[in-house]
Amino acid sequence: MEFNASIKYLKGVGEKRAAMLAKLGIFTLWDLLTFYPRIYEDWSKISSISDAPMNETVCIKAIVGTRCREHKIRKGMTLYKTEVTDGETLLDITFFNNKYAAEKLEQGKEYLFLGKITGKGYYKSMVSPEFEEYDGSKKMRPIYPQTAGLNSRAIEKLVKTAFSVCDSFSDPLPEDIRNNYCLMGIKQALHNIHFPESEDLLSEARRRLIFEELFLLELGLMRLKSKNRRSTAAEMPNDCTGEFMSLLPFELTKAQKRAISQAAEDMKKNVPMNRLLQGDVGSGKTAVSAALIYNCAKNGFQSALMAPTEVLAAQHYNTLAKMFENTDINIGLLTGSTPTAEKKKTKAALKSGEISLVIGTHALIQKDVEFKNLGLAVTDEQHRFGVNQRGSLSSKGINPHTLVMSATPIPRTLALIIYGDLDLSILDEMPKGRQKTETYLVSTEIRERAYGYVKKHLCEGRQGYIVCSLVAENEASELTAATELYKDLADGFFKGFSVGLLHGKMKPAEKKAVMDSFSSGETQLLVSTTVIEVGIDVPNAVIMVIENAERFGLSQLHQLRGRIGRGTEKSTCIMISDARNDVTSQRLKILASTTDGFKIADEDLKLRGPGDFFGSRQHGLPELKIADMMTDGEAIRETHAAASELLKKNPALTGEEYVLLRNAVNRLFSGGISMN
Ligand code: ADP
Ligand code: MG
């Protein structure tokens, strides 16, 4: 049978099994052979009965000494018992109600038994062990992730059958690469990952399969990137970022200046810039992008700035409109809720070149948005967009320069994978005069006092947030939770103050009105759901209360807290939670103890596991079956080098020996990216 044959044709798979396998993502023989065991059961370390520790899973080798005897202990309960020996010690093997297992044991034959030994004094017994006839080999047996109705042993059997019927194992890794990196062939690797012949071979097999997976991933991503590296039509020989600084009410930090000049250097070249700007919340990424947008306009090209939410797009629009007030830079705003007539006008002005900067949401990547000469595409909070969505914005120009911005800190090796080889600028310094936000974790008993503290700040002319969580993940309850809290507070504790309400289900125009009123300082206190999480910037807001803090993720809390502490005033964040569960309070304590985004992301990963943090949902990357982005850093570096070397020699992977490799890359990226 061929690798890609349907699993239905495998012996032992009927309709029902096929459906169960489908639940595990297994449709073809190949899927089954690359369904890797989670762990292994060690049948290779054999202990003698007398040395084996009690009550731990052990493997012993013993000869069956007696025929199996049957004891009816009570109604419906029969015990089957036989005696075995390893030559020194006797051991009782017992099964309950399992005649079938008991009768399989033949007197005089030697078996391996895996199970726990119990007993007192000289009497030892093993209850319901797994056993296998001893054939002289030492074994590790695979343990697979299971689904209801299909246990690990059943999967093991199917994998064995698959090996016996698969006649061709075509290796996607060409021979020269295998030789260069000392990697075993695909057949040996697959065989040893399922049925390791030794620990060494198992680790070699793992290394080979991890290499392959990361190598394919790197090749696909590099191809994607090389598409970006065709020469750009937007060369910007004049560095005009120096004169931009006079438009700002503040002095840029050293880190901001460094990032701006790195990018301006890139933009002088005829290959497009492809840069990631990473900086913790509040580090001033917007000003960096503004400098580059200014530079772009002064060199005669248009820019686009894309944000993940309407609220954030509107805020950027306001900020930049003010910044560029006294320049000849015309700005347009384009979001889903922009009125149709307005949209039409903006699009026409973009096409004619009348507008030199457009700010917007996903609306920017609609088909009918056209530019006269897009020279710079900026994506804010880029982790909210998929790989392909980022690409679509740049496809609106002729290989324009791109800048993506993110506050989500990730380790260097991961950045390599996730962003291909984007160049990296880091804002590792906060604007002058910032004070560390104080964070407290309190129980609900203290809520009144917390509110009182908020009130005190409002009386001093400051503003604040009260953030409430979703009770359940549905629209109706989000609305009620926020609305009720708002009503309670506006008519109760904060009567006489100007209180606003913001939640995700409001109409865009309503949201805008609320945000405008809060930005202008008219609204003193904003009751909100997590819609304020990304990007919102109102420096006069210095106090935040987060209700039911235990319901938020660590990084999310960090983002939320990032809404305050944006001015020179001291800010305070009060998290309210009654959760006394260990993990939860540990999480919240981390947040209270540091404001360093890198540290927090790290802890978050440790507590949560990489899971969907780096999963396909956030980055549009294919899911990995065996490699682990967190722990396989060394392999990531190795495959990165291997992939770039190969593509340098053979960018399109032409030639007979690369056909399988090319197909494998395409298969991995079958969602979107193609090598052809
Ligand atoms: P983020 O990196 O989270 O996107 P913003 O760009 O929104 O941060 O900037 C946060 C706040 O800091 C804004 O109010 C901005 O005007 C201000 N800011 C940015 N750079 C500086 C600076 N160099 N000095 C003082 N304030 C600054
Ligand atoms: Mg921002």
Side-chain angles (χ1 to χ4, degrees):
M1 279 167 81
E2 293 276 333
F3 263 177
N4 53 6
S6 165
I7 197 77
K8 283 190 203 134
Y9 304 123
L10 190 68
K11 205 177 133 223
V13 180
E15 290 278 318
K16 231 167 127 191
R17 279 235 164 135
M20 290 172 193
L21 288 165
K23 271 198 205 127
L24 296 168
I26 301 172
F27 302 93
T28 64
L29 274 192
W30 175 252
D31 294 336
L32 180 62
L33 291 175
T34 55
F35 187 72
Y36 303 124
R38 246 177 335 120
I39 43 169
Y40 299 85
E41 209 172 66
D42 199 346
W43 290 62
S44 70
K45 294 201 180 70
I46 299 171
S47 0
S48 70
I49 299 173
S50 58
D51 288 347
M54 307 282 274
N55 298 311
E56 277 175 35
T57 302
V58 291
C59 185
I60 59 151
K61 184 175 74 176
I63 294 176
V64 176
T66 58
R67 290 259 317 274
C68 194
R69 281 158 300 158
E70 210 176 293
H71 306 265
K72 284 214 161 47
I73 6 183
R74 56 186 147 84
K75 211 173 159 214
M77 174 69 85
T78 311
L79 199 135
Y80 300 88
K81 213 175 198 170
T82 188
E83 227 171 47
V84 304
T85 175
D86 60 1
E88 283 176 8
T89 319
L90 289 178
L91 175 72
D92 265 359
I93 300 285
T94 315
F95 298 97
F96 290 100
N97 282 352
N98 192 349
K99 191 169 181 179
Y100 169 77
E103 285 184 346
K104 261 175 57 185
L105 288 177
E106 282 181 48
Q107 199 176 354
K109 269 198 179 159
E110 194 170 28
Y111 295 86
L112 292 177
F113 295 91
L114 188 82
K116 290 177 184 165
I117 296 179
T118 53
K120 272 201 198 106
Y122 289 112
Y123 178 74
K124 288 185 171 178
S125 109
M126 199 183 244
V127 179
S128 308
E130 286 205 63
F131 59 88
E132 254 193 20
E133 206 177 318
Y134 180 62
D135 61 2
S137 67
K138 294 185 164 185
K139 269 191 202 142
M140 277 181 280
R141 291 184 70 176
I143 303 291
Y144 297 93
Q146 0 196 319
T147 176
L150 203 57
N151 64 28
S152 178
R153 290 294 183 239
I155 297 172
E156 180 182 349
K157 217 166 148 191
L158 290 177
V159 174
K160 270 206 179 109
T161 317
F163 270 112
S164 69
V165 297
C166 239
D167 31 37
S168 64
F169 281 83
S170 36
D171 199 327
L173 292 184
E175 208 179 326
D176 58 337
I177 290 182
R178 278 195 331 256
N179 289 342
N180 278 348
Y181 292 90
C182 301
L183 302 167
M184 58 168 66
I186 185 74
K187 184 172 180 181
Q188 197 190 5
L190 285 177
H191 201 270
N192 273 287
I193 203 80
H194 290 287
F195 309 111
E197 290 159 45
S198 71
E199 277 185 39
D200 284 350
L201 284 172
L202 171 61
S203 83
E204 281 303 300
R206 275 186 56 82
R207 193 174 84 81
R208 135 88 213 208
L209 294 169
I210 289 172
F211 185 100
E212 175 182 325
E213 188 164 56
L214 293 173
F215 187 59
L216 296 178
L217 187 65
E218 294 277 9
L219 284 174
L221 288 172
M222 283 180 190
R223 278 289 295 193
L224 188 70
K225 192 215 97 201
S226 76
K227 279 190 189 149
N228 297 335
R229 287 284 157 115
R230 297 198 189 125
S231 66
T232 175
E235 257 177 83
M236 304 182 190
N238 309 313
D239 181 349
C240 308
T241 54
E243 60 190 69
F244 162 80
M245 299 188 194
S246 65
L247 303 177
L248 291 174
F250 47 73
E251 167 93 14
L252 289 169
T253 63
K254 272 203 216 86
Q256 284 171 315
K257 285 184 187 159
R258 185 177 60 226
I260 291 171
S261 75
Q262 285 168 338
E265 267 319 296
D266 288 352
M267 291 162 81
K268 283 183 189 166
K269 298 180 187 148
N270 68 352
V271 280
M273 168 170 81
N274 197 21
R275 189 168 281 279
L276 165 65
L277 177 63
Q278 200 172 75
D280 209 347
V281 282
S283 59
K285 294 183 288 292
T286 318
V288 173
S289 68
L292 304 177
I293 287 165
Y294 180 86
N295 187 46
C296 182
K298 290 294 154 188
N299 278 276
F301 291 93
Q302 292 172 298
S303 320
L305 170 57
M306 182 161 76
T309 66
E310 296 216 353
V311 173
L312 187 51
Q315 176 187 287
H316 281 328
Y317 179 81
N318 292 336
T319 308
L320 294 178
K322 199 158 157 232
M323 220 179 262
F324 295 144
E325 196 166 46
N326 299 318
T327 69
D328 54 0
I329 300 174
N330 278 330
I331 311 185
L333 177 66
L334 203 60
T335 67
S337 67
T338 312
T340 316
E342 182 87 28
K343 257 189 206 158
K344 231 168 144 182
K345 244 172 77 190
T346 306
K347 283 179 197 167
L350 263 183
K351 199 170 169 187
S352 71
E354 213 175 302
I355 285 182
S356 32
L357 165 62
V358 68
I359 297 172
T361 54
H362 292 85
L364 291 181
I365 54 181
Q366 300 303 312
K367 258 210 187 81
D368 60 346
V369 178
E370 294 173 68
F371 291 79
K372 181 173 176 232
N373 64 356
L374 179 65
L376 171 66
V378 183
T379 313
D380 193 15
E381 307 289 346
Q382 86 80 30
H383 56 283
R384 299 252 167 163
F385 296 95
V387 172
N388 293 337
Q389 281 174 322
R390 254 189 290 147
S392 342
L393 185 56
S394 353
S395 70
K396 302 265 176 205
I398 303 168
N399 307 313
H401 301 285
T402 59
L403 178 75
V404 297
M405 309 198 283
S406 179
T408 306
I410 53 174
R412 187 74 190 93
T413 44
L414 289 182
L416 214 58
I417 283 269
I418 292 170
Y419 304 113
D421 57 358
L422 276 185
D423 298 307
L424 186 63
S425 293
I426 296 180
L427 299 185
D428 51 5
E429 176 189 4
M430 286 290 168
K432 248 197 236 122
R434 290 279 169 84
Q435 298 189 44
K436 198 172 148 212
T437 297
E438 291 207 352
T439 304
Y440 302 98
L441 175 59
V442 305
S443 63
T444 44
E445 283 163 29
I446 312 209
R447 179 184 275 128
E448 288 268 308
R449 261 178 65 197
Y451 285 169
Y453 198 58
V454 173
K455 206 184 246 177
K456 176 173 158 273
H457 282 83
L458 302 187
C459 290
E460 288 165 2
R462 302 289 158 199
Q463 291 165 278
Y465 297 96
I466 293 184
V467 183
C468 58
S469 71
L470 310 190
V471 177
E473 289 213 4
N474 73 55
E475 303 173 7
S477 63
E478 173 180 355
L479 203 136
T480 17
T483 312
E484 264 167 25
L485 182 64
Y486 163 74
K487 278 198 199 127
D488 274 6
L489 294 177
D491 299 338
F493 200 95
F494 291 99
K495 204 169 166 122
F497 291 85
S498 157
V499 185
L501 169 67
L502 188 73
H503 61 72
K505 296 301 154 212
M506 285 161 84
K507 292 220 179 68
E510 291 175 280
K511 274 191 211 160
K512 183 170 182 307
V514 171
M515 272 323 294
D516 284 350
S517 165
F518 189 63
S519 303
S520 73
E522 202 174 303
T523 296
Q524 297 171 281
L525 180 66
L526 190 61
V527 176
S528 167
T529 60
T530 54
V531 285
I532 57 151
E533 177 193 345
V534 283
I536 298 300
D537 180 45
V538 178
N540 190 45
V542 297
I543 181 144
M544 172 178 280
V545 173
I546 304 177
E547 301 277 351
N548 297 105
E550 75 281 357
R551 297 196 185 146
F552 299 96
L554 210 45
S555 295
Q556 198 180 18
L557 286 169
H558 180 59
Q559 278 281 342
L560 282 170
R561 181 174 58 180
R563 299 312 115 218
I564 55 173
R566 301 174 81 85
T568 48
E569 207 73 20
K570 178 149 206 84
S571 293
T572 311
C573 175
I574 304 172
M575 301 186 290
I576 300 185
S577 172
D578 278 337
R580 289 292 166 263
N581 162 325
D582 281 354
V583 182
T584 318
S585 55
Q586 196 190 339
R587 251 186 15 197
L588 298 178
K589 275 182 197 146
I590 291 167
L591 208 81
S593 72
T594 178
T595 51
D596 181 336
F598 269 93
K599 248 194 217 152
I600 290 169
D602 228 42
E603 293 294 337
D604 201 14
L605 277 175
K606 271 189 219 146
L607 290 172
R608 229 166 26 133
D612 56 18
F613 196 69
F614 298 116
S616 52
R617 252 192 299 149
Q618 291 218 3
H619 299 288
L621 291 179
E623 235 172 284
L624 298 178
K625 285 185 166 181
I626 188 164
D628 179 337
M629 299 232 211
M630 287 309 291
T631 53
D632 292 325
E634 191 46 50
I636 289 176
R637 272 187 290 276
E638 192 178 35
T639 48
H640 188 76
S644 38
E645 194 187 332
L646 175 60
L647 286 180
K648 215 182 272 165
K649 273 195 322 219
N650 186 349
L653 297 184
T654 49
E656 195 64 21
E657 70 269 42
Y658 295 114
V659 172
L660 291 170
L661 183 62
R662 214 164 55 222
N663 291 345
V665 174
N666 286 344
R667 204 167 42 224
L668 188 64
F669 284 86
S670 54
I673 305 159
S674 167
M675 292 285 283
N676 298 320

